[in-house]
Amino acid sequence: MTITMIVLLAAAGFVSGAVNAIAGGGTFLTFGAMTIAGVPPITANATSSIVQLPGYITSTLAYKDEISKVWRGALLLSAVSLLGALGGSLILLSLDNPSFRSLVPWLLAAATAVFAAGPWLTPKATAERTANSPSTVIGQFLTSIYGGFFGAGMGIMMLAVLGITMGGNYHHLNALKNMFATLIAMVAIVVFIGGGVIAWPEALVMIPAGGLGGYSGVWMARRVPQVVLRWCVVGVGIALTIYYFVTG
């Protein structure tokens, strides 16, 4: 890799960790950076999972006060997240690169639309309901399958599902989202390593940057307006969608 490519990958890793801590969308950046680096689509997607993990972990740790209050009530949803991620990652490995490549522009278009709609989907503070209602469990299971399979936009989808089905304040829900995303990424990583589809040189550049970004993102989520980062991510999503449609 050239110095320019290393800088690009590290920057993508840092910003992806930050935006994942705020709401989601970091996969757009890591997937896009690896696309520029010439990594095949399944490998780029799988490697994004391992790159996102440090950011998920550090942002979960930054929310340790919120997590300490809610984790016991979220054990069922944690188990559901693990099962869904296993199913989604196995589905990905069942495809070859041409088959997955044909799905990528449609997945990116859908994820970009969901992410752009984030301000309308992000939950407002409401009275908290049970975390283990059937609607919450089913919604989290489906979101986890998607997260294991692709992951772009998973964070905002999860926030929307949790907000609609169980309520609560934003930081409480964001803390749960980060914890579940950590579990989903862990399962996907085990499957993808077993399948031999990780681009390790690129991953080793992006992983530490993602961890720093994840911790910084919680600070930003509490203090900095999110609109600029959100629309930068949307712009990357649109550019990637056009690129994959045009290059067929």
Side-chain angles (χ1 to χ4, degrees):
M1 287 182 287
T2 65
I3 296 297
T4 301
M5 191 57 63
I6 290 172
V7 171
L8 171 66
L9 292 171
F14 180 86
V15 179
S16 73
V19 299
N20 277 337
I22 295 170
T27 300
F28 289 119
L29 302 171
T30 55
F31 186 83
M34 281 184 281
T35 295
I36 294 172
V39 178
I42 286 181
T43 301
N45 183 45
T47 305
S48 286
S49 295
I50 201 168
V51 169
Q52 306 304 324
L53 180 60
Y56 288 142
I57 292 173
T58 53
S59 54
T60 299
L61 291 174
Y63 269 126
K64 61 183 181 298
D65 291 338
E66 288 85 353
I67 293 292
S68 67
K69 299 173 185 176
V70 301
W71 70 269
R72 290 182 180 84
L75 290 177
L76 176 58
L77 292 181
S78 296
V80 164
S81 299
L82 294 172
L83 288 173
L86 178 62
S89 55
L90 289 174
I91 291 171
L92 177 67
L93 285 190
S94 71
L95 301 176
D96 55 24
N97 271 301
S99 298
F100 182 67
R101 173 65 176 75
S102 68
L103 294 174
V104 166
W106 300 101
L107 290 168
L108 286 169
T112 301
V114 169
F115 195 78
W120 295 274
L121 296 177
T122 300
K124 305 297 187 294
T126 62
E128 185 175 343
R129 301 178 290 278
T130 176
N132 297 324
S133 68
S135 59
T136 306
V137 171
I138 293 170
Q140 182 60 26
F141 180 65
L142 295 175
T143 305
S144 301
I145 291 174
Y146 173 82
F149 180 74
F150 190 52
M154 175 184 67
I156 195 64
M157 293 178 188
M158 203 182 304
L159 277 175
V161 169
L162 293 174
I164 291 168
T165 60
M166 64 178 286
N169 69 67
Y170 172 79
H171 288 296
H172 171 181
L173 296 173
N174 203 30
L176 284 175
K177 180 266 293 180
N178 288 334
M179 182 174 73
F180 296 148
T182 300
L183 297 176
I184 291 168
M186 285 179 172
V187 171
I189 287 165
V190 171
V191 174
F192 296 151
I193 290 176
V197 291
I198 302 295
W200 286 109
E202 288 80 2
L204 292 175
V205 171
M206 301 171 86
I207 285 169
L212 291 172
Y215 198 86
S216 301
V218 173
W219 183 91
M220 294 167 64
R222 288 172 168 154
R223 296 171 177 83
V224 178
Q226 301 172 21
V227 64
V228 174
L229 273 178
R230 174 172 298 281
W231 286 106
C232 284
V233 172
V234 170
V236 171
I238 292 172
L240 284 174
T241 301
I242 293 172
Y243 171 80
Y244 273 99
F245 271 122
V246 169
T247 58

